[in-house]
Amino acid sequence: MSGSATISSRSLPGRVPGNPGIWVGIFCVLVEFLLLFNVYFIARAHNPEAFRHGPEKLATVAGTAITLLLVTSGYGMVKAVEAMRRDDKRVTLRWILFSMALGFGYPVVKFFEIRWNVSRGVDGAAGIFYTVYYYLTLNHLVHVFWGLLGLGWTAVRTGLGAYSAADHHGLEAAAVYWHTTDIIWLMIFPFFYVLR
Amino acid sequence: MIGRAEKIWLLLAGLTLLGAWLAETAEHGWLLAVTVAGVIVLKGRLVAVGYMEIGAARALIRRAVWGFVLAVPFLALLDYRFGDVVAQYTRAALH
């Protein structure tokens, strides 16, 4: 008996932030982007000059703005979860809406960035660096939209009083997914805007 | 009063501005690649541990997230240093 209890506690220590379902999704996203980053690495290995000069035509200010929007939005979700742990639903809702507002800033900045790029001839056919850049960043944008849908769902549920200090796994699940998209962008930004 | 979340946000914002500065001023080279990889690991750890709380999570979750945060910049460094070898071994698959 004690042996099986020991094995059980060893194999399942710690907690699951959010819920197990969201982690299945997060594992899939991590594997997907690991593959996409390998596309970047292989393309870079075959075209070192294109990747060395590629960042020169991108708007660093746009990449920096997106990064700041995402890390600040992520901070907002940390505060939302903290507030829910105090059972302060009104403050939780405010922080979720704060995070969503900043999160929606990402597609807005991206829209103007792409418009600026295209006006200067930097479209998906401008070269291998830009093909990979558009493929990865737009793919990431799709995941951000899913995250925003999740945040919207938790905002509605928080407004309806569905979460409490004792049970807010759904809110945590949306938050950890949102932080995952953040981590992935924290890699995309240096790979395309900084590394030469 | 600056709490833990605020300190992490300040570090993330500061490292982002460092990245922007490097993007505008840094030259191609190994030092830039190592700096970029180090910043990725540091920022990834700040978000994973400070915001996602994976330090207290089950081992599978910890290993998956932390493994991703370490693997991607490590592969980037390998690619940066040994890109010619990567190209040589993947050429057959691409042509």
Side-chain angles (χ1 to χ4, degrees):
Chain A
M1 284 293 284
S2 62
S4 66
T6 305
I7 290 167
S8 173
S9 63
R10 272 185 187 173
S11 59
L12 294 172
R15 60 189 291 269
V16 176
N19 54 50
I22 197 66
W23 281 101
V24 174
I26 288 173
F27 288 160
C28 290
V29 171
L30 293 181
V31 170
E32 178 190 357
F33 274 92
L34 193 57
L35 289 171
L36 289 176
F37 282 130
N38 275 296
V39 170
Y40 168 92
F41 297 143
I42 292 170
R44 183 179 189 104
H46 284 264
N47 307 275
E49 283 305 305
F51 278 74
R52 186 171 165 177
H53 297 291
E56 292 165 6
K57 288 186 179 175
L58 294 181
T60 304
V61 67
T64 307
I66 290 170
T67 311
L68 290 174
L69 283 169
L70 285 180
V71 297
T72 310
S73 179
Y75 162 78
M77 284 311 292
V78 172
K79 300 302 285 184
V81 172
E82 277 181 11
M84 185 52 78
R85 285 174 182 164
R86 297 192 307 268
D87 217 12
D88 193 339
K89 289 165 186 151
R90 183 181 290 184
V91 173
T92 301
L93 183 58
R94 280 187 197 156
W95 279 114
I96 296 172
L97 294 176
F98 168 84
S99 295
M100 286 184 71
L102 293 180
F104 275 113
Y106 174 1
V108 171
V109 172
K110 204 76 203 157
F111 170 78
F112 286 108
E113 183 192 13
I114 291 173
R115 207 167 74 159
W116 187 76
N117 284 347
V118 171
S119 72
R120 299 167 70 244
V122 181
D123 57 21
I128 182 68
F129 174 83
Y130 303 103
T131 304
V132 178
Y133 156 77
Y134 279 113
Y135 188 57
L136 251 103
T137 54
L138 293 178
N139 203 309
H140 181 261
L141 185 60
V142 170
H143 289 78
V144 165
F145 273 121
W146 293 342
L148 284 169
L149 283 174
L151 296 191
W153 175 250
T154 57
V156 171
R157 300 259 298 158
T158 302
L160 294 173
Y163 302 127
S164 65
D167 183 7
H168 53 275
H169 300 297
L171 175 64
E172 269 195 6
V176 289
Y177 181 84
W178 194 239
H179 296 314
T180 303
T181 63
D182 199 0
I183 285 180
I184 292 165
W185 179 263
L186 294 179
M187 296 172 176
I188 290 176
F189 171 62
F191 284 166
F192 287 102
Y193 296 85
V194 182
L195 194 59
R196 280 155 171 76
Chain B
M1 179 70 181
I2 294 182
R4 187 164 184 257
E6 286 75 20
K7 286 177 188 165
I8 291 170
W9 178 83
L10 280 171
L11 278 170
L12 288 169
L15 289 167
T16 300
L17 295 178
L18 170 68
W21 179 72
L22 287 173
E24 294 298 311
T25 61
E27 297 290 327
H28 165 82
W30 186 240
L31 181 62
L32 175 62
V34 172
T35 305
V36 161
V39 169
I40 289 175
V41 172
L42 187 53
K43 285 171 114 177
R45 184 173 173 83
L46 284 169
V47 174
V49 176
Y51 284 179
M52 297 172 81
E53 301 176 344
I54 66 156
R58 289 186 183 173
L60 178 64
I61 291 172
R62 267 199 326 272
R63 286 172 190 154
V65 175
W66 192 224
F68 182 80
V69 167
L70 285 176
V72 174
F74 177 70
L75 289 171
L77 280 179
L78 282 183
D79 190 56
Y80 200 83
R81 178 65 183 83
F82 303 106
D84 51 340
V85 178
V86 175
Q88 183 188 333
Y89 280 99
T90 53
R91 188 161 286 120
L94 294 173
H95 295 288

